[in-house]
Amino acid sequence: MAIRSDMAATDEIQRLQAELTRHEQESAAKELQLERYAADLRETFKQERARAQELRRSYMATVRALSNAVEARDAYTGKHAERVAAYGMEIARALGLELTEEPEIEFGFLLHDIGKVAIPDAILYKPDKLTEKEHALMAQHPVIGSEIVRGIDFLGEAAKIVRSHHERWDGTGYPDGLAGEEIPLSARVFAVADVFDALTTDRPYRPASPLRVAREMIVRESCTHFDPRVVEAFSSIDDATFERIAAEIR
Ligand SMILES: [Fe+2]
């Protein structure tokens, strides 16, 4: 009787051991399969990221080409749009990351004056003061520009910069006379970067202002031309950063 129950117990132990081994083999196989899935997923992510980066590079190349085409007409501003874009991105970074995560704002900085393609040379290059009518036509370039880029989905936020880059914080700008926070933040950032570049580069009618003087002039226009929060962010950036951009993009 005792021998028989010992044998039964041994059988049971063997059965349990066999079952355990089977379970272990099954879970090892599952683990292997999961690892393969994870590796596949990692590879897919890597390829997707590479594709997204490639697409972004193509977009950027297209936008640069367009921006260069606009600037090629205006001999003395040189690489104004590229410098403004670089200054603008620094100011956006100093303001916090909300603006810098999307490439569209850089596109907007680069393309801000695209509407000037519709302004006749005789007005664009007129050395004398513009007549009222000519001035009114010139002031249409943000509207024309925003119409040009409106249908291009990947430009997104950029269209807002194109339309609102001549608005002023106190509401005296154009074309819509927006004031304060009605003006898109990206366009408020652009305004400071644009004036800063204009002040710090030579123009046919005046030499460039030193950095310190340009800084003072921008601070003076806080709350009138510029958003005070953007001026504060601009003022927090050190001279070396501005000097590096000015030396790199000329
Ligand atoms: Fe403009």
Side-chain angles (χ1 to χ4, degrees):
M1 192 65 178
I3 293 171
R4 205 175 303 150
S5 73
D6 276 359
M7 280 174 65
T10 311
D11 284 352
E12 181 60 11
I13 289 168
Q14 277 175 349
R15 192 186 64 75
L16 285 170
Q17 271 175 341
E19 203 173 317
L20 191 66
T21 309
R22 192 167 49 79
H23 277 306
E24 278 172 355
Q25 282 168 347
E26 273 175 14
S27 61
K30 274 189 189 137
E31 205 174 308
L32 195 68
Q33 203 171 20
L34 276 175
E35 272 170 22
R36 282 199 195 118
Y37 281 147
D40 279 354
L41 214 57
R42 269 197 300 275
E43 187 54 31
T44 310
F45 272 134
K46 223 168 84 184
Q47 287 174 358
E48 277 303 314
R49 200 180 309 145
R51 260 196 290 271
Q53 277 169 353
E54 185 51 43
L55 200 60
R56 193 177 161 154
R57 265 196 294 274
S58 305
Y59 283 162
M60 187 52 95
T62 309
V63 168
R64 276 188 201 287
L66 268 173
S67 157
N68 289 340
V70 177
E71 297 229 306
R73 288 182 71 202
D74 206 345
Y76 68 81
T77 56
K79 292 191 170 175
H80 168 70
E82 266 193 62
R83 274 192 311 274
V84 169
Y87 293 143
M89 293 308 279
E90 284 299 334
I91 300 170
R93 263 188 285 276
L95 265 173
L97 281 175
E98 55 187 311
L99 279 176
T100 52
E101 279 158 15
E102 298 300 325
E104 286 113 38
I105 62 156
E106 198 171 351
F107 296 160
F109 292 155
L110 286 166
L111 294 176
H112 65 279
D113 266 345
I114 192 165
K116 282 190 179 168
V117 294
I119 307 294
D121 285 0
I123 298 178
L124 203 58
Y125 304 127
K126 191 174 173 183
D128 312 315
K129 205 170 177 288
L130 297 182
T131 65
E132 209 170 298
K133 215 170 146 197
E134 288 166 341
H135 200 274
L137 183 65
M138 187 70 166
Q140 282 300 303
H141 79 270
V143 179
I144 299 165
S146 67
E147 285 299 311
I148 292 173
V149 300
R150 196 166 52 111
I152 310 173
D153 280 347
F154 78 82
L155 291 178
E157 177 87 10
K160 293 186 189 170
I161 299 174
V162 174
R163 179 156 189 123
S164 301
H165 73 277
H166 284 292
E167 298 290 353
R168 293 169 53 109
W169 182 253
D170 60 10
T172 61
Y174 62 94
D176 300 306
L178 302 177
E181 292 186 357
E182 287 172 352
I183 307 164
L185 179 57
S186 49
R188 283 179 262 149
V189 168
F190 173 85
V192 174
D194 186 37
V195 170
F196 177 70
D197 186 59
L199 290 171
T200 51
T201 46
D202 287 323
R203 292 294 156 97
Y205 43 89
R206 55 140 182 81
S209 301
L211 223 152
R212 183 184 52 78
V213 177
R215 278 184 187 277
E216 284 167 8
M217 287 165 97
I218 283 171
V219 169
R220 218 176 300 143
E221 295 270 330
S222 178
C223 295
T224 49
H225 190 166
F226 308 124
D227 174 354
R229 192 158 73 98
V230 176
V231 172
E232 214 173 288
F234 162 80
S235 296
S236 75
I237 300 167
D238 57 14
D239 287 1
T241 304
F242 290 131
E243 283 161 358
R244 176 181 50 77
I245 293 170
E248 276 172 13
I249 311 171
R250 43 191 312 133

